[in-house]
Amino acid sequence: MSLKGDVCVVTGACGFLGNRLVKLLLDEEKLAEIRLLDKNMQPQLLQSLEDCRGDTKLSVYEGEIRDGDFVRRACRGASIVFHMASIIDVNEAVEHSEIYGVNVKGTQLLLEACLQENVVSFIYTSSIEVMGPNPRGEPIVNGTEDTVYDSTLKFTYSKTKREAEERSLQAHGEVLQNGGRLATCALRPMYIYGEGCRFLLGHMGDGIRNGDVLLRMSRPEALVNPVYVGNVAAAHLQAARSLKNPQKRNVIGGKFYFITDDTPPVSYSDFNHVVMSPLGFSIREKLPLPLSLLHVVCFLLETLCLMLRPFVRIVPPLNRQLLTMLNTPFSFSSEKAQRDLGYVPRYSWEEAKRRTVEWLASKLPAERERIRYK
């Protein structure tokens, strides 16, 4: 079902995924208006969107998602909200109050604004990390939405994303001001890669500093299934179309869906090598220390940083939960999203890899120069 004539809000519109979704909406839908909500708008991004907007009105809402009046204004007259804005933090570098304020309270304010302003559809961008892995590193291979797993979480990021997802799904069916009802769903993409991925740039920078040898922090057997950003954007569009369809609305409303594509299962470290080997990077064969010893080192670093916390805040480069995440087989299937949402990946693995490698190649000279003079 088409979104023609709809007014939609995209939170985190200038982010990695948000930007890709906005461009997809402009390419494929004749929307009346797209409202770009972000804390920091980027003039070059806005100009690139203006060049391809056609008859769709683009409106800029620059401000804080924790500002209730602001998000209510952004939602006034809208019919769909794509909620992508969040703080991503796997190093525990962000204060709990900050990440909770954005990820949980910001989501709650947005849901309340939807009820007050009669927004009928709400799609929440969740994360695979709301599932785990748990601190024991128990694996999941080709899991589904029905997989039973002890998803005890340690990351503040993971816990806040899970609470925000729960609040989003619980809001399904709540009564709007005009007597209608809100429909919600959540998408759980795997690790998202592609053009604009800051994590890939960070790993490339580490490789450059190490003489074009990528660091290995994942065992080869710790298979995960990364997903290309263009396919994740397509899944969001398909979710919005499905929520607009009266026959599908109650089928998918209040549910979450894993989003994957045909990117081959691979460990996090080996994935970095796959997309950077064409640029001349190799990778270490083994972890810097046995995994059990790395856990001990992380424990000691965490303990030291905790003791110093009253005097100075130091964030260790690696912690036990991140180490567990990087070394736990954790893969899922998107069959349910394909069945219920009609989600079909737009980009094959070969196309996604080609686009990602070309983007990294375009960034490599500047990255070398930056590191050389840092």
Side-chain angles (χ1 to χ4, degrees):
M1 182 168 284
S2 171
L3 305 183
K4 183 177 180 180
D6 279 287
V7 175
C8 79
V9 176
V10 180
T11 73
C14 289
F16 173 40
L17 177 58
N19 175 29
R20 190 60 177 255
L21 175 63
V22 171
K23 290 180 178 177
L24 179 62
L25 292 170
L26 291 173
D27 285 343
E28 297 201 5
E29 295 288 345
K30 298 184 183 298
L31 290 154
E33 182 183 3
I34 301 176
R35 297 175 181 173
L36 312 174
L37 190 156
D38 208 296
K39 185 177 180 180
N40 297 300
M41 286 296 172
Q42 303 170 17
Q44 67 274 19
L45 170 61
L46 296 175
Q47 184 56 54
S48 69
L49 295 175
E50 279 288 339
D51 294 341
C52 62
R53 71 178 180 85
D55 295 327
T56 300
K57 179 181 178 182
L58 288 177
S59 302
V60 173
Y61 286 78
E62 186 171 14
E64 266 284 352
I65 198 170
R66 291 172 286 186
D67 182 337
D69 291 335
F70 167 69
V71 296
R72 185 168 178 175
R73 288 196 305 273
C75 290
R76 190 162 296 148
S79 48
I80 305 167
V81 168
F82 295 95
H83 181 29
M84 298 183 164
S86 70
I87 294 177
I88 300 174
D89 175 32
V90 295
N91 293 106
E92 298 290 280
V94 183
E95 292 286 355
H96 179 272
S97 58
E98 178 77 6
I99 194 167
Y100 189 87
V102 171
N103 292 1
V104 178
K105 291 183 178 179
T107 299
Q108 185 61 43
L109 287 172
L110 195 57
L111 288 166
E112 291 170 2
C114 288
L115 297 177
Q116 294 161 351
E117 300 300 335
N118 303 309
V119 177
V120 295
S121 297
F122 183 95
I123 295 108
Y124 178 68
T125 306
S126 189
S127 166
I128 184 57
E129 290 181 49
V130 305
M131 190 74 175
N134 59 31
R136 295 185 299 279
E138 295 173 336
I140 294 179
V141 178
N142 205 33
T144 71
E145 287 78 358
D146 297 322
T147 297
V148 176
Y149 185 76
D150 176 16
S151 53
T152 304
L153 304 174
K154 288 199 67 177
F155 282 143
T156 300
Y157 168 69
S158 306
K159 290 187 282 190
T160 56
K161 289 294 285 186
R162 183 163 69 181
E163 184 174 343
E165 180 192 271
E166 289 172 350
R167 293 191 184 203
S168 298
L169 298 182
Q170 289 166 1
H172 173 69
E174 290 197 13
V175 180
L176 306 174
Q177 282 286 96
N178 63 5
R181 291 187 181 274
L182 175 66
T184 71
C185 70
L187 304 184
R188 293 180 178 179
M190 308 299 109
Y191 167 64
I192 307 174
Y193 70 91
E195 309 95 299
C197 177
R198 61 185 176 90
F199 294 109
L200 283 177
L201 277 183
H203 294 309
M204 186 167 72
D206 291 338
I208 292 171
R209 295 184 191 92
N210 197 41
D212 289 357
V213 179
L214 298 172
L215 307 178
R216 176 176 290 283
M217 298 308 300
S218 306
R219 296 174 298 171
E221 60 268 28
L223 303 182
V224 295
N225 43 349
V227 60
Y228 179 60
V229 62
N231 291 328
V232 180
H236 281 75
L237 174 55
Q238 198 58 40
R241 289 171 173 168
S242 296
L243 284 179
K244 191 175 179 182
N245 185 330
Q247 295 177 330
K248 289 189 173 183
R249 190 173 177 85
N250 289 325
V251 173
I252 71 170
K255 295 183 174 65
F256 66 85
Y257 293 90
F258 292 116
I259 304 300
T260 66
D261 56 22
D262 69 343
T263 302
V266 65
S267 79
Y268 285 104
S269 292
D270 288 300
F271 179 79
N272 295 335
H273 185 227
V274 168
V275 295
M276 294 183 206
S277 59
L279 307 181
F281 288 86
S282 59
I283 187 170
R284 287 178 176 172
E285 291 187 8
K286 298 180 180 179
L287 296 172
L289 293 170
L291 188 58
S292 57
L293 188 53
L294 279 174
H295 274 281
V296 173
V297 171
C298 287
F299 170 74
L300 294 174
L301 284 173
E302 291 171 43
T303 302
L304 177 61
C305 292
L306 187 63
M307 292 172 61
L308 294 174
R309 182 66 57 86
F311 311 102
V312 61
R313 182 177 174 84
I314 299 175
V315 179
L318 187 65
N319 56 59
R320 284 171 293 168
Q321 184 57 26
L322 178 55
L323 186 64
T324 298
M325 185 185 79
L326 293 174
N327 287 281
T328 300
F330 218 62
S331 61
F332 292 82
S333 165
S334 60
E335 285 186 9
K336 188 176 181 181
Q338 294 174 26
R339 182 177 65 250
D340 289 2
L341 305 179
Y343 161 65
V344 178
R346 304 286 188 87
Y347 300 88
S348 68
W349 159 236
E350 289 302 323
E351 176 70 4
K353 179 171 65 172
R354 180 185 66 79
R355 288 170 174 258
T356 303
V357 171
E358 288 178 355
W359 174 73
L360 286 169
S362 73
K363 297 294 182 181
L364 183 56
E367 193 68 10
R368 289 193 185 282
E369 196 72 8
R370 182 185 68 82
I371 290 171
R372 179 184 176 187
Y373 289 104
K374 190 172 181 179

